Amino acid sequence: LAGAPVLVSTFFSLASQGYQQSEHLVSGTANAYANVNAFDPDGHWQVQASAQAAYKTRIVVNRPIDPADFNGTVVVEWLNVSAGFDSAPDWGMLHKELIRKGYAWVGVTAQKVGVDSLIDGSAAALTGGGDPLRYASLKHPGDSYAFDIYSQVAQAIREPSEIAPLGGLIAQRLIAAGESQSAHYMLTYVNALAPLHALYDGYFIHSRLASSAGLIGEFREDSDTIPQEVRVRTDLGTPVMMLQTETDLFVLGSYPSRQDDSTNFRLWEAAGTAHADLYTFLDNRMDVGSNPQIAAVVENAAPIPGFIDCSKPVNAGPQHFVANAAMRALNTWIVDGTPPAMADRLEVAGTPAAFALDELGNVKGGIRTPYVDVPIAI
């Protein structure tokens, strides 16, 4: 498609960073799935196709202009629809590392909410711009089919047909990525679909919630079968990096599903961080890596006045630095087999369980940064 896509993302010129953006329509026939065995907490799930339906969605591609700058890895992000339209929180969080090291990035409108908001114009109305006819031909049969749509996009990247989404670039590795609501789906994808399709070389599960998405796609609509505790299966044979913030453990309920590191799994929990911080809502939009104020601890309770207004300042902690390190570690793991470091967990104590805090009120343990080791704020 010609012109700029409708997508909440960074606002700086990609060309100024040696990157270009394109948007493509993707269509086919997708499967929905049903479970064969019980959905046990260990994630060792088996599924089979149960229905088929036609779909047409879109993908957005950010890639190096110069093919010589491409490092061979494509990060495929399951776009987040928590706000009722597509956003790309992992691109926002990771873009400096991705651009600096020459990754390609593909954002997938995998879910029905994302497609519907493009068709009815609500996404364009909220994000600005957009041709009302641009997405008129899109069609989504429902989130039961989102998992297979996501797989088929990976297949299209690996083996393009008439139109190559990456242009002349050849993908050597694909990393599946999802944050928050999308991590909810990513966890189910890893446990249920990854063994069936084996299209991704690694998985980045960022800020998962309690449990995981059901195969019908909606949040816990099949809660009678998906357990409250869900861990990443240990027999996948493919690297999985999970990054969690403080908020994710107790506010969003992932703590009971915490698991030990293993041959193909790493869990990093970052002290001093929030599920959605100031960088998520504000700073990443114009961060090209040249403004040291991006790293400053500031007080801002209204990063998007009228839309996000808080009673206390939004967290200005160091999550994006840790996230960039996690992506680099995952890619290195895939490329040469060097696993990421095993990190201490955030310290938890008491009944009911709660964070163990230092004398200033900051959590102990976890991935440590100067923000929490030499603190000027809580």
Side-chain angles (χ1 to χ4, degrees):
L1 296 177
V6 174
L7 179 65
V8 175
S9 185
T10 44
F11 297 155
F12 56 80
S13 165
L14 286 174
S16 71
Q17 303 300 302
Y19 268 63
Q20 60 186 324
Q21 185 175 78
S22 60
E23 184 178 32
H24 307 270
L25 301 186
V26 181
S27 62
T29 301
N31 291 319
Y33 294 90
N35 58 306
V36 174
N37 65 349
F39 285 124
D40 291 331
D42 64 7
H44 290 224
W45 301 345
Q46 290 179 282
V47 299
Q48 62 185 10
S50 59
Q52 286 190 326
Y55 73 91
K56 189 174 186 180
T57 188
R58 65 84 184 259
I59 61 173
V60 178
V61 180
N62 296 341
R63 59 185 173 90
I65 295 172
D66 186 347
D69 292 335
F70 181 45
N71 72 354
T73 300
V74 185
V75 174
V76 185
E77 180 171 356
W78 184 305
L79 293 176
N80 185 297
V81 295
S82 291
F85 53 86
D86 282 340
S87 64
D90 268 335
W91 167 259
M93 192 73 65
L94 301 169
H95 70 272
K96 282 313 304 168
E97 174 67 13
L98 301 186
I99 291 173
R100 183 168 47 238
K101 295 299 182 181
Y103 293 77
W105 173 89
V106 176
V108 182
T109 299
Q111 290 179 248
K112 190 175 189 303
V113 169
V115 167
D116 289 349
S117 68
L118 292 171
I119 294 172
D120 66 20
S122 58
L126 288 165
T127 61
D131 176 357
L133 300 180
R134 183 181 182 90
Y135 303 108
S137 67
L138 299 187
K139 177 173 63 175
H140 200 299
D143 284 354
S144 299
Y145 300 88
F147 300 102
D148 205 34
I149 291 171
Y150 190 69
S151 290
Q152 291 189 25
V153 168
Q155 187 67 34
I157 295 169
R158 286 193 177 277
E159 298 179 7
S161 54
E162 295 84 8
I163 298 176
L166 299 183
L169 304 183
I170 305 299
Q172 300 174 35
R173 295 166 293 276
L174 267 59
I175 295 176
E179 192 268 351
S180 186
Q181 177 263 344
S182 300
H184 196 67
Y185 284 80
M186 190 61 55
L187 184 57
T188 297
Y189 186 91
V190 168
N191 286 339
L193 279 301
L196 205 60
H197 294 160
L199 289 165
Y200 290 96
D201 301 285
Y203 297 90
F204 185 66
I205 301 175
H206 182 188
S207 282
R208 64 160 293 187
L209 317 177
S211 189
S212 71
L215 289 176
I216 64 169
E218 305 302 330
F219 268 69
R220 298 198 53 72
E221 293 236 353
D222 46 1
S223 57
D224 57 325
T225 56
I226 301 290
Q228 276 287 349
E229 295 182 23
V230 176
R231 288 174 280 281
V232 173
R233 63 187 305 152
T234 56
D235 64 342
L236 189 59
T238 304
V240 178
M241 167 64 80
M242 182 180 290
L243 175 64
Q244 296 292 92
T245 70
E246 284 191 37
T247 317
D248 303 328
L249 271 69
F250 292 110
V251 175
L252 297 178
S254 72
Y255 173 71
S257 299
R258 179 194 262 183
Q259 68 188 91
D260 294 334
D261 291 336
S262 58
T263 303
N264 290 298
F265 176 79
R266 289 292 185 273
L267 170 60
W268 284 7
E269 297 175 346
T273 57
H275 181 79
D277 55 18
L278 198 61
Y279 192 82
T280 301
F281 292 121
L282 190 65
D283 292 340
N284 83 84
R285 307 297 180 205
M286 298 303 296
D287 182 16
V288 296
S290 59
N291 181 7
Q293 285 302 114
I294 294 293
V297 176
V298 298
E299 292 192 1
N300 184 339
I304 307 178
F307 183 63
I308 299 177
D309 295 290
C310 305
S311 60
K312 295 181 180 180
V314 176
N315 181 285
Q319 182 188 170
H320 60 288
F321 295 123
V322 180
N324 279 274
M327 177 55 68
R328 180 188 176 104
L330 175 57
N331 189 57
T332 300
W333 197 3
I334 296 167
V335 170
D336 66 16
T338 304
M342 292 185 178
D344 292 338
R345 302 293 189 255
L346 295 173
E347 289 191 26
V348 173
T351 304
F355 286 127
L357 306 178
D358 63 19
E359 64 277 7
L360 295 176
N362 287 308
V363 68
K364 299 177 180 179
I367 298 281
R368 310 297 293 180
T369 67
Y371 290 79
V372 289
D373 281 343
V374 191
I376 61 171
I378 297 173

